[in-house]
Amino acid sequence: MTRKTRFVPLRRFRSRSSAGTRPRGRRGRPQDRLKWGFLIIAMTLSVFGARLIQLQAVDPKSYAAMALADGTVNVVLPARRGDILDRAGQPLADSVEAKMIIADPEWTAPDAPALASLLAERLNVDYFRTLQALKAKNTNFRYIARRVPASLADEVLAEAREQKFKGLSSERDPARSYPAKDVAANLVGFLGTPDPVKGAQPLAGFERTFNKLLSGKDGSARFQQSGGRRIPLGENVVVKPVDGRDLTTTLDTDLQWFVQRVIRQTVEDYSAKSGFAIVMDSKTGEVLALADYPTFDATKPLEADEDDLGSRAMSDVYEPGSVQKALTMSALIDAGKVTPRTRLRVPSSLARQDRVIGDWFDHGDINLTLTGVLAKSSNIGTVLATDKMDAPDLRRYLTAFGEGSSTGIGVRGESAGIVPEGALLTSQTKDRMAFGQSLSVNGLQMAAAINTIANGGLYVAPSLIEGSATTDAGATVGTDRTTTHRVVSEKTARQVMKMMEKVVDPEDGVAPSAQIPGYRVAGKTGTAQRVGEECQCYDGTFTLSFAGFAPADDPRFTVYVVIQAPGKDGGGGSVGGPAFAKIMQYALRRYGVPPTGRKPSDLPVEWSSGRSR
């Protein structure tokens, strides 16, 4: 017969040692109860202690083994890209919140085809590349998409969860935004389509030129995971990202917007191939606007023609035409060869070594002062006046004005232009250089040259960057690095300014449409033959331009407008002049520049036996 063991409640348990001290059936002493209470607590603590030792000393080994099996994950923590700002701090390019989509193939592989279809449709990623990432072997981490708008990323992850897909997650991944869209896009540039691993790479403009400054330095996170989850006590190393620095430009967003609309309208009205306009601060050389057309929307660069993605004002070279005459006259006057009142008898044509030089207008023999030669834009009169100067001396002045050298302003792909020298600098070449042919310039280069006259004969290097910034090529540029050098005397510059006022005079000049009511304006027209890309010869098209500054007697802004290959008849005065006036008037009003109230130039443009008019 088996004896049954009866359970005895603890409170009734008696030890043998106490059997003789207390009758059976009565409770033990208080000190006995306290003793057994301590025993129970000690037993409980020992259980928790053993578990703590297990977590601290035993489990990390098992976790490490699990990590070796599943792998260590390395994640890039993207730095926030610096903003590109206008002079008032308005963003031309900035960074907005976005996320990267990440997959753990251990969990995504079973549903890879269906999940890849969802991601390809919602994120516009390549289906086959995504499928390969979702099914990757021996890894717990694969990038699926970068710089996804935060709201879209959240929607996609929520949709994936609703469809019972597992293994997708997201991390912070700031994306690039261009709130100004096409405003200054030719200068700002853009980033390419985000790569799943490297993210978006800079492809053009300031984004590319100053990429190191803007991009900062990405951080990283290294951790161990198992089954798609981080191991709590596994390796976890985080290196925080260093955000990029902002780049502040000298541009005025509102002025830039207006100038772009004016140049677009002018190009379209005259069925031209392209055009650009530049606005400079006459004293500081800061570029307030540099507008190209055609241009593009920086938020949709792939929709634009590749030729429209850069700045033609900086990269294209062309022959400047008669705007050059203002520089030639400055050189002649500064060298003491002529004065604004020098008298010239200008024939209807001028036979030179290899060709006959004519004027844009028909005339017989006329008597013009040097001022009249500039006001009427006479090629013949300019050549006759330039006969008084040797070719090397003329070239020395033109290069001092900045022709033939890039401005070094910090725009990638800037062209230097060409001013002939040595054996190429023949007498025929000198004749044509005097009125703006047989040499080439870029747009900003020419604007800075005319600005030298506005700035009292002192060349000031143009700037597009406030303060200073270093390009990826190692050049430091900006307003802190502005240089100046004297080209002609202040007296010469003032004399040429008065001569240029006659260009817009309604009685004597060729560009009355460039006048601005209430202000004195100094300017010069330009019409030059263009060299065709295919034939490398003059192809019958023209470059029309107008350059000037105002107020003429106390210059605040210099504006240069260029229209390439118009499909309708016109000249620098009739095409470029009105665009110049609209831009200059807007700039003067925007910055509250008052008229000086002084009377304009009264220099004579013609002369006749004993008197000039």
Side-chain angles (χ1 to χ4, degrees):
M1 182 175 182
T2 304
R3 178 178 296 179
K4 294 182 179 180
T5 303
R6 184 169 61 90
F7 173 74
V8 179
L10 180 62
R11 63 184 180 85
R12 299 186 60 187
F13 179 83
R14 291 188 301 159
S15 66
R16 291 181 182 272
S17 60
S18 62
T21 61
R22 181 176 294 276
R24 184 182 299 274
R26 298 184 62 183
R27 289 186 174 182
R29 294 178 300 173
Q31 52 268 44
D32 291 332
R33 294 197 303 272
L34 184 62
K35 182 189 300 183
W36 287 108
F38 280 135
L39 179 60
I40 293 170
I41 293 172
M43 292 173 64
T44 303
L45 289 176
S46 68
V47 173
F48 282 110
R51 179 56 180 160
L52 182 61
I53 292 172
Q54 182 187 29
L55 286 171
Q56 292 181 330
V58 179
D59 278 3
K61 294 181 180 179
S62 62
Y63 279 139
M66 294 163 62
L68 288 174
D70 284 343
T72 299
V73 174
N74 293 286
V75 182
V76 173
L77 302 179
R80 183 185 186 279
R81 194 171 180 84
D83 295 343
I84 300 176
L85 309 169
D86 83 342
R87 62 189 303 108
Q90 295 298 313
L92 297 167
D94 60 5
S95 293
V96 296
E97 285 304 313
K99 295 182 178 181
M100 64 177 77
I101 304 296
I102 303 166
D104 179 349
E106 181 179 335
W107 292 84
T108 59
D111 301 310
L115 184 52
S117 295
L118 170 65
L119 296 173
E121 178 182 353
R122 300 287 279 116
L123 300 178
N124 195 31
V125 294
D126 181 77
Y127 170 81
F128 294 102
R129 184 174 182 176
T130 302
L131 180 64
Q132 185 178 15
L134 296 174
K135 297 171 64 176
K137 303 292 186 180
N138 303 318
T139 182
N140 295 93
F141 184 93
R142 277 290 184 268
Y143 288 111
I144 298 300
R146 300 288 303 273
R147 270 72 169 182
V148 179
S151 59
L152 175 59
D154 292 342
E155 289 176 7
V156 172
L157 291 179
E159 190 171 342
R161 286 193 296 269
E162 289 176 3
Q163 297 185 34
K164 308 303 182 182
F165 294 133
K166 297 179 180 180
L168 290 185
S169 61
S170 65
E171 293 283 351
R172 176 179 175 272
D173 194 19
R176 205 57 165 165
S177 170
Y178 299 97
K181 296 188 176 180
D182 70 328
V183 176
N186 301 78
L187 296 173
V188 172
F190 59 94
L191 303 184
T193 303
D195 180 89
V197 177
K198 297 180 180 180
Q201 300 301 302
L203 297 181
F206 292 150
E207 293 279 30
R208 186 177 180 186
T209 302
F210 298 97
N211 182 53
K212 291 180 181 178
L213 178 146
L214 292 165
S215 62
K217 186 176 182 180
D218 289 344
S220 63
R222 178 184 175 88
F223 58 87
Q224 292 171 320
Q225 70 175 18
S226 174
R229 297 182 179 181
R230 294 189 185 189
I231 300 173
L233 298 178
E235 180 184 4
N236 188 9
V237 179
V238 176
V239 177
K240 293 184 177 181
V242 178
D243 290 342
R245 290 170 51 197
D246 292 345
L247 181 72
T248 301
T249 71
T250 61
L251 299 171
D252 177 334
T253 299
D254 290 344
L255 180 59
Q256 175 78 22
W257 179 90
F258 182 82
V259 175
Q260 286 187 203
R261 271 55 192 173
V262 171
I263 202 68
R264 181 184 68 185
Q265 191 65 53
T266 305
V267 168
E268 292 177 351
D269 286 349
Y270 285 89
S271 302
K273 180 179 180 181
S274 64
F276 63 80
I278 299 168
V279 182
M280 291 180 65
D281 184 305
S282 299
K283 298 294 191 294
T284 67
E286 294 178 14
V287 178
L288 305 179
L290 195 158
D292 289 272
Y293 187 79
T295 185
F296 68 99
D297 183 337
T299 64
K300 297 178 287 187
L302 297 182
E303 296 181 9
D305 189 301
E306 185 177 351
D307 291 340
D308 298 337
L309 297 178
S311 172
R312 290 181 172 87
M314 302 298 301
S315 61
D316 290 0
V317 293
Y318 59 95
E319 296 176 68
S322 294
V323 171
Q324 181 80 5
K325 292 170 184 173
L327 309 184
T328 300
M329 300 303 181
S330 297
L332 292 171
I333 293 172
D334 192 69
K337 305 298 183 181
V338 293
T339 73
R341 297 175 182 270
T342 294
R343 298 177 176 184
L344 296 165
R345 187 165 181 80
V346 180
S348 58
S349 62
L350 184 63
R352 293 299 222 187
Q353 293 82 355
D354 62 338
R355 68 188 61 189
V356 175
I357 296 173
D359 279 330
W360 66 273
F361 60 103
D362 294 330
H363 61 82
D365 291 350
I366 52 175
N367 299 329
L368 298 176
T369 64
L370 192 68
T371 298
V373 168
L374 191 67
K376 304 292 186 184
S377 197
S378 170
N379 293 341
I380 297 171
T382 301
V383 171
L384 291 174
T386 310
D387 282 344
K388 301 177 183 295
M389 177 174 279
D390 292 336
D393 289 338
L394 176 62
R395 187 183 188 279
R396 179 174 59 83
Y397 271 103
L398 298 184
T399 55
F401 274 111
E403 293 186 324
S405 301
S406 65
T407 65
I409 201 169
V411 174
R412 193 182 183 91
E414 179 186 2
S415 300
I418 299 173
V419 179
E421 60 181 328
L424 297 176
L425 190 55
T426 63
S427 59
Q428 298 98 312
T429 301
K430 187 196 80 167
D431 288 348
R432 293 190 287 268
M433 283 169 51
F435 56 81
Q437 302 272 187
S438 293
L439 80 167
S440 61
V441 297
N442 74 48
L444 185 59
Q445 190 183 83
M446 198 65 190
I450 293 297
N451 188 67
T452 301
I453 301 171
N455 196 37
L458 191 68
Y459 177 90
V460 55
S463 299
L464 261 172
I465 305 300
E466 287 280 7
S468 64
T470 301
T471 69
D472 283 12
T476 302
V477 299
T479 54
D480 289 349
R481 296 303 182 98
T482 298
T483 60
T484 62
H485 63 263
R486 182 156 294 283
V487 180
V488 297
S489 69
E490 189 172 354
K491 178 182 178 181
T492 296
R494 187 168 57 252
Q495 289 176 310
V496 175
M497 174 273 290
K498 292 181 178 180
M499 294 168 64
M500 292 173 70
E501 278 192 283
K502 285 297 183 179
V503 173
V504 302
D505 186 282
E507 293 185 8
D508 300 315
V510 294
S513 60
Q515 284 190 324
I516 299 173
Y519 290 87
R520 291 177 63 178
V521 174
K524 184 65 193 79
T525 60
T527 303
Q529 297 182 78
R530 280 170 45 90
V531 175
E533 295 180 3
E534 295 183 3
C535 71
Q536 293 298 303
C537 61
Y538 291 133
D539 63 359
T541 62
F542 294 88
T543 297
L544 306 183
S545 59
F546 189 94
F549 47 89
D553 52 334
D554 188 16
R556 182 67 176 84
F557 302 113
T558 298
V559 173
Y560 184 40
V561 175
V562 174
I563 304 298
Q564 297 287 10
K568 298 180 181 179
D569 290 340
S574 60
V575 176
F580 164 89
K582 291 175 184 177
I583 294 168
M584 180 63 80
Q585 189 169 37
Y586 182 90
L588 293 169
R589 289 180 177 176
R590 175 165 174 75
Y591 285 85
V593 180
T596 60
R598 304 186 187 101
K599 293 182 178 180
S601 169
D602 60 355
L603 287 171
V605 297
E606 296 179 358
W607 62 273
S608 60
S609 56
R611 66 186 183 89
S612 299
R613 183 179 71 81

